[in-house]
Amino acid sequence: MKPRNAIYRAGGLLLPGLPTLLAALTTFVLFMLFLAVQGKPAWQACQLVVQGAFGSAFAWENTLQRAAPLMLTALCVALPARAGLIIIGGEGALVLGGLAAAVTPLWLPGLPVVPLLLCMALSAMVVGGFWIGLNGWMRQKRGLNETIGSLLLSYVAIAIFNQLVEGPLRDPASLNKPSTIPLDDSVMIGPISDAFQVHWGLVVGVIACILAQVLVRNSVTGFSLQVVGGNVRTARMIGLPVDRLVILTCVLGGACAGLAGMFEVAAVQGSANAAIIAGYGASGILVAFAARQNPLAIIACAILLGGIEASGSLLQRRLGLPDATTLILEGILFTSLLAWEALTPRIVAWRLRLNERAIQAQGALQHG
């Protein structure tokens, strides 16, 4: 009876990840068919994706470099989702956060490096948090659909970014590639170590995911968010501050995306320019959905998706496939995730049934 009880409990824990697993299998099959139709060696292409993502130390560094901002932009989706919101405007918070970080040294000249970096991070988080928090406020106070609102605000943010970078904040020395004044070398964030050429944004992303997990799983606020996301009417009836909780999750998610923009400027680009509009906000949506809004699972999913994106150049060199092939793979994965999401109500029922059987088996074991 005891092994059966363990099986029931393990099944209940693993069931929530079933849609993601089925989506991954579906994506693999459809991607193989997509390549076969083009006359490309499908199995070799899949091997090259794995090799380009995890086949060498350089591949791992490239993968983790891309995974760092994905963790933070995924939190911009996952945290508001705890309150029942679908936010897809992380790209806007990222670019404005990066711009705020890039101009902060101009406003604080002569400040020591460490306090200056902290001020850059804080300004990026404030701007990103304000931008997504504004969307949460409009949703609660004006009834604006948060998905449409966040998407439109993202376009507005990118337009503001382009206007400022190509206008009043443009470095006169930047000719064909408009950008802000480059950061001083002393302010640039270097790699974690000489043997591991990945910037410190990866560490910050992992820490942010762990803190988010503690918030949503082990705090009163996290439990309140679960109630709000489950049933808003019930949350209001028991006296929870629904508006404040919703806006708080949006602010925290936007702050994470803004921090991702800061690292893209201070660790990768060296200035705010069009290169930071790289689609990390859109990819973060896919990471959050693949992780099913679980902050710890975001770490693994961000590494996986970062590896897929890093393998594009290898597919292009070896098989002559366009670099956008990895975007097609991501699109198939996202579509599969949405398709298998229909299983969620059944999974809840199955999980309740397994938990009930586990309790019954435990009771039978105790009574001999």
Side-chain angles (χ1 to χ4, degrees):
M1 191 69 70
K2 190 172 182 180
R4 185 179 299 178
N5 181 34
I7 292 173
Y8 290 149
R9 292 191 179 278
L13 292 174
L14 294 176
L15 268 178
L18 183 61
T20 300
L21 177 61
L22 293 174
L25 293 175
T26 304
T27 301
F28 175 74
V29 173
L30 292 178
F31 186 63
M32 294 273 283
L33 291 175
F34 168 75
L35 294 173
V37 168
Q38 300 181 80
K40 300 294 183 180
W43 182 250
Q44 183 182 355
C46 292
Q47 289 179 319
L48 289 175
V49 170
V50 177
Q51 181 181 344
F54 312 110
S56 65
F58 175 78
W60 269 103
E61 289 176 354
N62 197 9
T63 293
L64 295 176
Q65 190 91 341
R66 295 170 183 266
L70 291 178
M71 294 178 192
L72 294 169
T73 54
L75 288 176
C76 186
V77 180
L79 289 175
R82 289 287 171 176
L85 276 67
I86 302 177
I87 299 292
I88 60 174
E91 190 81 8
L94 183 148
V95 299
L96 289 184
L99 180 61
V103 300
T104 297
L106 303 178
W107 300 334
L108 301 172
L111 200 65
V113 173
V114 174
L116 181 56
L117 285 173
L118 292 176
C119 289
M120 291 169 61
L122 181 61
S123 62
M125 293 171 68
V126 169
V127 172
F130 169 79
W131 200 252
I132 302 299
L134 178 63
N135 186 80
W137 181 85
M138 290 192 296
R139 194 258 196 185
Q140 293 302 113
K141 302 299 183 181
R142 293 293 180 266
L144 177 68
N145 180 278
E146 74 279 359
T147 306
I148 297 175
S150 60
L151 178 63
L152 296 180
L153 280 176
S154 183
Y155 289 135
V156 172
I158 293 174
I160 292 174
F161 175 88
N162 290 330
Q163 176 65 25
L164 293 176
V165 170
E166 297 176 10
L169 297 180
R170 180 173 181 172
D171 177 18
S174 62
L175 300 177
N176 296 329
K177 186 179 180 181
S179 65
T180 58
I181 296 175
L183 298 176
D184 189 79
D185 290 341
S186 63
V187 184
M188 291 294 294
I189 300 174
I192 296 175
S193 69
D194 294 336
F196 189 57
Q197 295 294 315
V198 179
H199 61 72
W200 284 93
L202 175 66
V203 177
V204 173
V206 172
I207 293 174
C209 289
I210 294 173
L211 292 177
Q213 177 73 7
V214 172
L215 173 67
V216 301
R217 294 291 187 184
N218 304 100
S219 70
V220 175
T221 301
F223 180 74
S224 301
L225 288 173
Q226 187 175 358
V227 176
V228 172
N231 192 312
V232 176
R233 181 176 298 180
T234 300
R236 294 189 186 278
M237 288 178 59
I238 63 177
L240 290 178
V242 174
D243 294 347
R244 188 169 64 189
L245 288 169
V246 168
I247 295 173
L248 173 64
T249 59
C250 291
V251 169
L252 291 177
C256 290
L259 191 59
M262 179 264 186
F263 278 105
E264 282 301 294
V265 167
V268 180
Q269 303 297 334
S271 64
N273 54 65
I276 72 171
I277 311 174
Y280 284 123
S283 298
I285 302 169
L286 177 54
V287 171
F289 271 78
R292 298 187 61 78
Q293 325 303 342
N294 186 305
L296 289 184
I298 282 175
I299 299 174
C301 292
I303 293 173
L304 177 61
L305 192 63
I308 291 175
E309 294 182 351
S311 65
S313 58
L314 188 61
L315 289 173
Q316 190 175 25
R317 293 195 308 269
R318 297 284 183 86
L319 299 179
L321 290 168
D323 191 50
T325 301
T326 55
L327 295 179
I328 295 174
L329 177 56
E330 292 178 20
I332 296 174
L333 177 58
F334 188 66
T335 305
S336 299
L337 285 168
L338 293 179
W340 285 109
E341 189 69 19
L343 274 180
T344 300
R346 291 182 177 270
I347 287 175
V348 173
W350 293 339
R351 192 175 185 183
L352 290 174
R353 191 177 303 168
L354 284 174
N355 288 338
E356 182 181 351
R357 289 184 178 179
I359 293 172
Q360 291 175 353
Q362 181 69 25
L365 183 65
Q366 291 176 352
H367 289 87

